[in-house]
């Protein structure tokens, strides 16, 4: 089934991992991770996680809330003083469920940024002085920049660098051995190359992109196996209390009572009478 779909869509390489119940049951790699050098995809192949990084950031936020170190309903400026007050109050919870009114990318140069940032504060300059698009809580608007703010909030509440908090409190407890910052300068073993389709059935290398401008919202990388371990340990009570995790899996409502497609970090849909908790959001340069 995987090979057939790869052929239909002209996909050079795929890594697949499946869990059933509380354990990883199967994983395999298909195709090529580096077409120019004919490097095959393995279970250890590292892909850019793109916006799946947001799920990990959301868990970090909920961990700190669970410990009483972060208030979901406090103004974001309590934890991110570099972010100016806006025309309406904006809370951590608004940002988690994409109801904060913080804008998303405005132009291609932001999506394909090639500037390298050394911390989480400097990237805020791109959007911090822009007004909110609407009063928080009244509308849904997907925003990677909203999660950039949440990453800084994690650093403030935890009293340590964002990535170090993730290593100690998410990656290590969940056994996510290969998940890390998608640093363009770091030599990361088994990192996949990125490709895009061109007219016909051809491929070309993707445009350059340095994801250090959005680490909490799209700047991590890892393997399919790591993501399955993340899901297992999140639902199994390792990373959060089960009741806390369940809060993340409930569709949030706008102020008028209408539901949005998102919980606290996760996309929630109904299929065949069942609730699906998931995340997608592809990245145009070699990832999930």
């Amino acid at each position: 089934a995987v090979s057939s779909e790869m052929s239909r869509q002209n996909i050079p390489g795929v890594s697949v991992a499946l869990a059933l119940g509380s354990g990883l049951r199967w994983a395999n790699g298909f195709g090529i991770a580096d077409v120019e050098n004919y490097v095959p995809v393995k279970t250890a192949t590292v892909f850019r996680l793109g916006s799946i990084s947001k799920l990990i950031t959301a868990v970090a936020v909920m961990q700190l809330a669970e410990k009483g170190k972060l208030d979901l309903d406090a103004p974001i400026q309590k934890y991110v003083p570099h972010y100016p007050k806006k025309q309406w109050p904006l809370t951590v919870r608004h940002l988690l469920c994409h109801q904060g009114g913080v804008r998303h990318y405005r132009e291609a140069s932001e999506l394909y940024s090639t500037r390298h940032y050394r911390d989480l504060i400097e990237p805020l300059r791109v959007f911090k002085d822009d007004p909110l698009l609407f009063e928080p809580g009244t509308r849904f608007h997907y925003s990677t920049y909203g999660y950039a703010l949440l990453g800084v909030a994690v650093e403030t509440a935890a009293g340590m660098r964002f990535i170090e908090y993730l290593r100690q409190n998410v990656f290590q407890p969940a056994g996510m051995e290969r998940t890390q910052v998608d640093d363009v300068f770091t030599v990361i073993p088994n990192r996949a190359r990125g490709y895009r389709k061109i007219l016909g059935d051809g491929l070309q290398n993707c445009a350059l992109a340095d994801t250090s401008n959005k680490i909490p919202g799209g700047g991590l990388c890892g393997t399919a196996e790591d993501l399955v371990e993340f899901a297992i340990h999140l639902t199994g009570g390792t990373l959060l209390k089960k009741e806390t995790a369940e809060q993340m899996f409930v569709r949030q409502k706008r102020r008028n009572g209408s539901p949005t497609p998102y919980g606290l970090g996760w996309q929630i849909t109904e299929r065949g009478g069942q609730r699906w908790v998931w995340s997608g959001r592809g990245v145009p340069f070699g990832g999930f």
Side-chain angles (χ1 to χ4, degrees):
V2 174
S3 298
S4 175
E5 191 65 18
M6 288 175 64
S7 177
R8 187 182 73 84
Q9 295 195 43
N10 190 29
I11 297 171
V14 173
S15 182
V16 182
L18 299 175
L20 182 63
S22 60
L24 177 70
R25 295 300 179 91
W26 178 80
N28 207 347
F30 299 83
I32 305 300
D34 181 340
V35 174
E36 291 178 331
N37 296 294
Y38 208 75
V39 178
V41 174
K42 302 172 287 188
T43 56
T45 298
V46 173
F47 294 86
R48 284 179 157 173
L49 299 187
S51 287
I52 294 177
S53 305
K54 292 180 176 68
L55 310 183
I56 296 171
T57 297
V59 167
V61 169
M62 296 302 288
Q63 285 179 337
L64 292 165
E66 199 174 66
K67 297 172 183 176
K69 294 183 177 182
L70 189 151
D71 182 356
L72 297 183
D73 297 308
I76 189 61
Q77 290 83 4
K78 177 178 179 180
Y79 307 104
V80 192
H82 301 81
Y83 186 67
K85 289 186 178 180
K86 301 300 176 180
Q87 62 269 48
W88 301 288
L90 171 64
T91 68
V92 174
R93 189 185 301 273
H94 287 140
L95 295 171
L96 275 175
C97 62
H98 299 288
Q99 293 189 52
V102 176
R103 73 173 179 87
H104 195 43
Y105 305 122
R106 180 175 288 164
E107 53 194 30
S109 63
E110 294 179 9
L111 175 61
Y112 295 101
S113 173
T114 56
R115 177 176 175 180
H116 190 71
Y117 294 91
R118 298 293 180 181
D119 58 42
L120 300 189
I121 300 297
E122 186 67 18
L124 303 184
R125 292 189 177 186
V126 175
F127 67 93
K128 72 181 183 68
D129 293 324
D130 296 336
L132 299 180
L133 301 177
F134 51 83
E135 183 177 359
T138 62
R139 288 173 52 191
F140 172 87
H141 179 78
Y142 188 87
S143 173
T144 291
Y145 289 143
Y147 270 72
L149 292 170
L150 291 176
V152 179
V154 168
E155 287 194 333
T156 301
M160 66 176 69
R161 292 186 63 201
F162 176 72
I163 190 60
E164 187 57 37
Y165 179 86
L166 293 186
R167 286 194 193 103
Q168 294 182 23
N169 297 277
V170 180
F171 302 159
Q172 291 177 5
M176 300 167 68
E177 297 179 355
R178 297 181 179 89
T179 304
Q180 58 194 289
V181 170
D182 176 39
D183 191 318
V184 295
F185 294 108
T186 298
V187 176
I188 298 177
N190 300 304
R191 175 153 48 178
R193 295 287 301 271
Y195 301 96
R196 61 186 176 189
K197 297 179 184 179
I198 56 177
L199 292 176
D201 293 328
L203 294 173
Q204 66 177 197
N205 292 322
C206 280
L208 300 176
D210 186 323
T211 59
S212 60
N213 66 327
K214 53 183 176 184
I215 291 172
L220 300 176
C221 61
T223 66
E225 285 186 333
D226 279 359
L227 293 184
V228 168
E229 293 293 351
F230 174 66
I232 290 170
H233 286 84
L234 175 58
T235 56
T238 302
L239 299 178
L240 290 169
K241 296 177 183 176
K242 290 187 177 182
E243 55 267 31
T244 304
E246 184 60 31
Q247 292 177 34
M248 303 181 74
F249 305 152
V250 176
R251 292 175 68 182
Q252 299 296 292
K253 295 182 178 179
R254 304 173 183 86
R255 190 176 302 168
N256 64 7
S258 62
T260 74
Y262 267 76
L264 299 178
W266 293 80
Q267 192 159 350
I268 316 295
T269 54
E270 297 288 332
R271 300 180 188 176
Q274 292 185 322
R275 179 181 62 171
W276 288 62
V277 180
W278 63 288
S279 177
R281 315 297 299 191
V283 289
F285 24 76
F288 284 83

